[in-house]
Amino acid sequence: MSSDVSRGTTPAPPARQPRLTVLSGPSGVGKSTVVAHMRKVHPEVWLSVSATTRKPRPGERHGIHYFFVEDEEFDKLIANGELLEWAEFAGNRYGTPRKAVLDRLAAGEPVLLEIDLQGARQVRASMAEAELVFLAPPSWDELVRRLTGRGTEAPEVIERRLAAARVELAAEKEFDVTLVNTSVEDVSRELLALMLNRSGDRNTSG
Ligand SMILES: Nc1ncnc2c1ncn2[C@@H]1O[C@H](COP(=O)(O)OP(=O)(O)OP(=O)(O)O)[C@@H](O)[C@H]1O
Ligand SMILES: Nc1nc2c(ncn2[C@@H]2O[C@H](COP(=O)(O)O)[C@@H](O)[C@H]2O)c(=O)[nH]1
């Protein structure tokens, strides 16, 4: 049997799978901020736009930040199998439109999902090749400061989100990599390196 080596040619590197990266972490840790910074520097990075039953915050736009839908429409998305994953989080439902993600991956392009722990677990179960990245806060107090300081949620919603945060922080070990969000610039760079399957001077654990 002849091989590339016996023919004296350089073996081709193994084909790289387009990478599906899942970014999760407690509410208020800075996921959207990090992704927005990364996409400002690299507008070509594709982020899945989720559907949600949550009401828009000031400045949020339908089709850009989320597809804002009513409960009945979300029910239909589930019933028609149009969501890759979905979850209820702090009183609202959120889900990833399946087709757009699969189309991108089929075109060989990296895909980024910014979703909660329950969604990350579903993606892991259905797409074993996904890389799960956990964004952690520098400390609990800093997480509370960020979530409160954002000023977008009522106190009782903040309490629900912090209760969820305790569960999410306890699940960090389920993820492939942890990035600590001390610096938005650093973490954005590290996330991009992971998405593009590049090694680098990453400040990661996991
Ligand atoms: N590295 C950082 N240092 C200081 N503040 C930060 C940092 N990253 C994000 N923030 C601030 O923390 C707040 C929460 O950030 P962001 O909305 O991006 O969190 P999130 O993880 O996307 O939250 P959610 O899951 O609730 O959507 C914002 O006010 C943001 O400006
Ligand atoms: N399982 C999913 N979680 C999602 C999705 N889109 C967003 N999220 C997560 O929900 C919470 C709350 O988001 P917010 O915009 O209301 O602050 C946060 O953890 C998001 O990452 C999704 O499609 N599926």
Side-chain angles (χ1 to χ4, degrees), residues 1-195:
M1 182 198 282
S2 74
S3 68
D4 286 327
V5 173
S6 66
R7 287 200 303 269
T9 58
T10 309
R16 280 192 172 153
Q17 293 284 328
R19 178 153 272 191
L20 173 59
T21 305
V22 174
L23 182 67
S24 292
S27 178
V29 69
K31 300 179 295 296
S32 303
T33 304
V34 164
V35 171
H37 180 81
M38 183 175 74
R39 297 181 76 217
K40 203 166 158 191
V41 184
H42 293 277
E44 74 279 9
V45 171
W46 188 78
L47 171 72
S48 165
V49 178
S50 299
T52 184
T53 58
R54 170 166 80 61
K55 298 295 169 226
R57 294 176 185 140
E60 283 185 332
R61 286 167 56 201
H62 183 78
I64 304 285
H65 299 94
Y66 280 108
F67 296 107
F68 295 99
V69 300
E70 298 298 327
D71 263 320
E72 297 69 28
E73 188 167 353
F74 202 95
D75 288 340
K76 277 189 203 154
L77 292 173
I78 298 171
N80 294 338
E82 289 181 54
L83 299 180
L84 184 65
E85 60 73 35
W86 70 272
E88 181 160 344
F89 182 89
N92 294 298
R93 289 186 291 173
Y94 301 80
T96 303
R98 182 193 301 278
K99 186 175 182 310
V101 168
L102 298 186
D103 285 353
R104 289 278 161 169
L105 290 173
E109 293 170 28
V111 163
L112 178 62
L113 309 184
E114 186 201 318
I115 62 177
D116 85 326
L117 170 65
Q118 306 166 76
R121 285 174 172 159
Q122 292 171 47
V123 172
R124 162 123 304 156
S126 64
M127 304 179 86
E129 73 281 12
E131 179 161 52
L132 270 50
V133 180
F134 188 79
L135 193 62
S139 68
W140 175 259
D141 287 352
E142 175 62 13
L143 178 68
V144 176
R145 246 190 316 275
R146 287 183 191 174
L147 185 54
T148 312
R150 190 171 67 188
T152 50
E153 269 77 32
E156 64 272 18
V157 178
I158 290 181
E159 284 312 314
R160 290 182 83 164
R161 286 175 179 246
L162 289 176
R166 290 191 189 281
V167 176
E168 302 203 273
L169 288 168
E172 181 191 330
K173 284 197 165 47
E174 295 178 32
F175 288 75
D176 299 308
V177 180
T178 292
L179 303 176
V180 179
N181 183 15
T182 305
S183 150
V184 172
E185 292 75 17
D186 289 353
V187 172
S188 304
R189 203 182 51 248
E190 291 161 2
L191 180 62
L192 183 73
L194 286 170
M195 285 191 67

